Amino acid sequence: MAPRKNFRNQAKKEVKPAAVVNKNGVKVEASVAASGGGFSGTKIFTWFMVLALLGVWSSVAVVWFDLVDYDNVIERAKEFRFNFSEVLQGKLSAYDADGDGDFDVEDAKVLLGLKERPVSVLLREAKEEYAVKEPDDSRDEATHPYGDENNAIDTKGELVEKAQPQQTVEESKQYNNQPGSYNNQPGSPETKETVQLRYNAEAESVPEPEADVEPEVESVPEPEADVEPEVESVPELEAEFVPELKENAEDQPKDKLKEKAKKKKPKLLNKFEKTIKTEIDAAEKLRKKGKVEEAVRAFETLVLQYPQSPRCRYGKALAEDGLAEKMLSNDMLQKAIGTYKEASELPNATPDLIKATLKKRAERQQFLGRMRGALATLEKLVQIFPEDMALKNDLGVAHLLIGDNNSAKRVYEEVLATAPSDGFAKVHYGFILKSENKIAESIPFLRDGLESGDPGTDDGRFYFHLGDALQRMGDDSAYKWYERGHQRGHFASVWQRSLYNVDGLKAQPWWTPKDTGYMDLVKTLERNWRIIRDEAQSVMDRTTGLFVPEEENLREKGEWGQFTLWQQGKKAGESCRSVPKTCGLLERYPEATGCKRGQIKFSVMQPGTHVWPHTGPTNCRLRMHLGLVIPKTGCKIRCTNDTRAWEEGKVLIFDDSFEHEVWQDADSYRLIFIVDVWHPELTQYQRQTLSPI
């Protein structure tokens, strides 16, 4: 009986393929041989391991040989913040940079920095951010070296001035260490800002516009109580030329600290501006972040929308001011000054905004050297706010800066009549008295003002002049004040009290020719001293034996005359025509003729003359004295505690930023040739850019 057919039996009856011999002589099944050996589980695993190892070693090679710039990949990922999953899901609207509701080529241009973002988008984002977090009043001093519009705020919230702009020669007395000139002893070390008055040091003096201040100004009503205070506090304008040193809280009287704690933020918004405060804050946020170009555009948009808003225009002026600083542009700063004026004259401006705006205007006018314009602005402020003693103090300084000591004196007398303990008024009033040679009367005002610790009193000039007044009265406590000035950071040492300084220069009272590196100049002077002497004697007054009298108020007694050939690096042509050989010898020594912080001059001193102990204005120069006519005895010079005498035909070199004193007790005149030279450690760039003295 034939077996029944089914799938099981059919499987049993399948015939196995015949074995074949492969090329290696091994028998394998035909099916396997036909397929090339097949993929058993073991071989699959083996191939998997081979591929895995290749991947591992490829990764090692990429890292080892630095084939991929991972830092660049990470930076670009941070820059664009692109999430691939969002791309797949079509969520590109998150990268809508131009605000049109989608992501396209224009958005890509913005992300790549090829196109600026529209102001509307910037304002929208700023509003959204402001709604989440209140603006932070802190500023990054690295980005804003002046802190809040040219000033820095210390840890107590006090204004600390960063720089002292100088004034034009036409509007102020030249320095020459004259105690009567307010610009005599600037109160801070040399900085970029003290080196150049304007943003562009090479720019010519710009004619000052006529004062546009009306003589009569109507009083401004007090702001209503419901006006919200502005987010940003506008600091009081301590005159930029009177820097204040940071003080510890324990150094100040308790009542002063309480007074500061009670100080309220200014109210800059009127009633209408409260309704647009969010828009103003959004634009202000851009400015505080240092995005000054965007802030200018944002405030310009607001001014177009709300042309009668004083706060919007004030914000525009601040943004323009910041942009001027960034661009180092006098033109942009002048535009800001004009905008400050516009903001102050709009109707419905709050008193606090008028005060803040005009203060900023005066401050920036002073920075540009437009002292009379600043004076007019401050006079307007005092008319509007007659009870504000701080404004009167600033007005007094403005008078001093144009050399009008009499008007400044009247202002400070008014302040002291109303506020007899005002330290700022006291030090300035004492300064004026000393300039009038009222030495004894000046001392209590200078001393009491410094001891008050009031803002604006901790200034090197006042330590300098108090010590000098005490010395002239024979009071040894002068050195106590010099020491205190040194401890406060105003003087390099008790002996070296110059205030126009460059940090890091070698400081020693006496120098040798080899120390200076100006050996050739010294040899030229000493070889030709008789020629120089003869020309000097030829221009002396035959009757009096004098040149132009010394006018620096440095003499206790006697007669001292000078004949100047170079001043502040500029040749005195008429004088040099009188002594052509002497000037010809010096022409090839730019370290002397190009020294903008020095002089080249003849100096004659008559018997019975004593020059008070004093210091020069700067550590940027050294002073050479070539002896021409020297009496055998009675003439000597002291620098610090080392006293020396001149010799005919020999050069003495000293650093006149150290205290020095001169006696002439001979029976005939003493004649020397003074040649100031740049400090040898100053770079060529510094010599070109330092401001003249």
Side-chain angles (χ1 to χ4, degrees), residues 514-585:
K514 186 177 180 181
D515 289 337
T516 67
Y518 300 137
M519 290 287 293
D520 189 40
L521 171 59
V522 173
K523 289 178 180 178
T524 297
L525 293 173
E526 292 183 343
R527 279 198 302 264
N528 296 278
W529 75 274
R530 288 184 176 86
I531 295 174
I532 298 171
R533 178 199 62 192
D534 293 345
E535 286 198 328
Q537 290 177 323
S538 72
V539 294
M540 287 177 61
D541 188 304
R542 298 295 182 182
T543 304
T544 62
L546 288 175
F547 297 123
V548 177
E550 177 272 332
E551 297 179 346
E552 299 175 17
N553 195 25
L554 298 176
R555 287 167 293 155
E556 178 190 10
K557 58 181 181 177
E559 299 291 340
W560 179 17
Q562 301 175 359
F563 188 84
T564 301
L565 305 181
W566 270 270
Q567 173 92 15
Q568 297 181 336
K570 295 181 179 180
K571 185 177 180 179
E574 187 65 31
S575 297
C576 275
R577 278 190 285 275
S578 302
V579 289
K581 294 178 182 178
T582 300
C583 289
L585 289 170

Side-chain angles (χ1 to χ4, degrees), residues 199-373:
Y199 284 129
N200 304 312
E202 71 280 2
E204 296 182 0
S205 177
V206 180
E208 186 172 338
E210 296 182 4
D212 50 10
V213 181
E214 296 294 331
E216 295 297 330
V217 181
E218 297 181 3
S219 60
V220 179
E222 289 296 318
E224 299 191 17
D226 60 350
V227 178
E228 282 192 21
E230 174 58 12
V231 175
E232 179 191 5
S233 175
V234 179
E236 289 292 320
L237 173 64
E238 294 297 336
E240 187 172 333
F241 28 82
V242 184
E244 176 188 349
L245 191 69
K246 295 181 182 179
E247 297 179 350
N248 295 325
E250 59 267 22
D251 292 339
Q252 301 188 40
K254 291 182 179 179
D255 56 344
K256 296 281 182 186
L257 295 174
K258 290 179 181 178
E259 181 181 336
K260 292 171 186 174
K262 293 178 181 178
K263 191 174 181 179
K264 296 180 180 179
K265 290 183 178 180
K267 299 178 180 180
L268 305 181
L269 298 177
N270 61 29
K271 283 185 176 181
F272 168 73
E273 288 164 342
K274 287 175 58 180
T275 65
I276 59 170
K277 184 174 184 297
T278 302
E279 296 175 71
I280 294 173
D281 290 342
E284 189 68 16
K285 190 74 173 179
L286 294 171
R287 185 181 71 84
K288 289 188 177 182
K289 283 185 172 182
K291 300 177 180 179
V292 286
E293 295 93 340
E294 297 169 3
V296 169
R297 295 201 303 272
F299 275 113
E300 285 175 345
T301 300
L302 290 176
V303 168
L304 288 174
Q305 289 178 312
Y306 313 109
Q308 295 301 306
S309 166
R311 181 62 184 88
C312 289
R313 207 166 294 258
Y314 177 53
K316 178 174 178 280
L318 290 174
E320 290 169 344
D321 201 334
L323 183 57
E325 180 181 322
K326 182 176 180 179
M327 296 170 59
L328 301 182
S329 168
N330 292 333
D331 292 338
M332 179 56 68
L333 183 55
Q334 186 57 51
K335 183 177 180 181
I337 289 172
T339 307
Y340 284 129
K341 180 176 182 291
E342 293 171 5
S344 70
E345 294 177 346
L346 285 174
N348 301 318
T350 68
D352 283 350
L353 185 132
I354 293 174
K355 183 183 293 187
T357 302
L358 291 179
K359 278 184 176 182
K360 288 297 298 180
R361 175 176 164 82
E363 175 192 341
R364 306 313 275 153
Q365 286 173 312
Q366 286 167 346
F367 180 83
L368 279 180
R370 298 186 172 179
M371 300 303 172
R372 296 189 184 278

Side-chain angles (χ1 to χ4, degrees), residues 76-138:
R76 293 188 68 81
K78 287 180 178 178
E79 180 181 352
F80 294 106
R81 299 179 182 177
F82 238 94
N83 187 315
F84 187 65
S85 64
E86 291 184 349
V87 176
L88 295 178
Q89 296 172 24
K91 295 182 178 180
L92 290 173
S93 60
Y95 304 99
D96 177 19
D98 60 2
D100 62 358
D102 62 358
F103 181 83
D104 52 22
V105 174
E106 297 304 315
D107 297 299
K109 288 181 179 179
V110 173
L111 291 173
L112 290 170
L114 302 176
K115 178 181 176 182
E116 292 184 349
R117 309 185 74 184
V119 173
S120 59
V121 176
L122 294 170
L123 286 173
R124 184 194 68 201
E125 292 182 353
K127 288 179 187 178
E128 292 171 354
E129 183 177 356
Y130 191 82
V132 175
K133 180 181 178 181
E134 287 295 313
D136 183 6
D137 283 340
S138 64

Side-chain angles (χ1 to χ4, degrees), residues 620-641:
C620 295
R621 74 186 185 199
L622 302 178
R623 177 155 283 188
M624 296 183 178
H625 280 188
L626 172 65
L628 299 178
V629 178
I630 308 298
K632 292 184 178 180
T633 60
C635 295
K636 57 186 178 180
I637 178 171
R638 173 185 67 82
C639 188
T640 64
N641 54 5

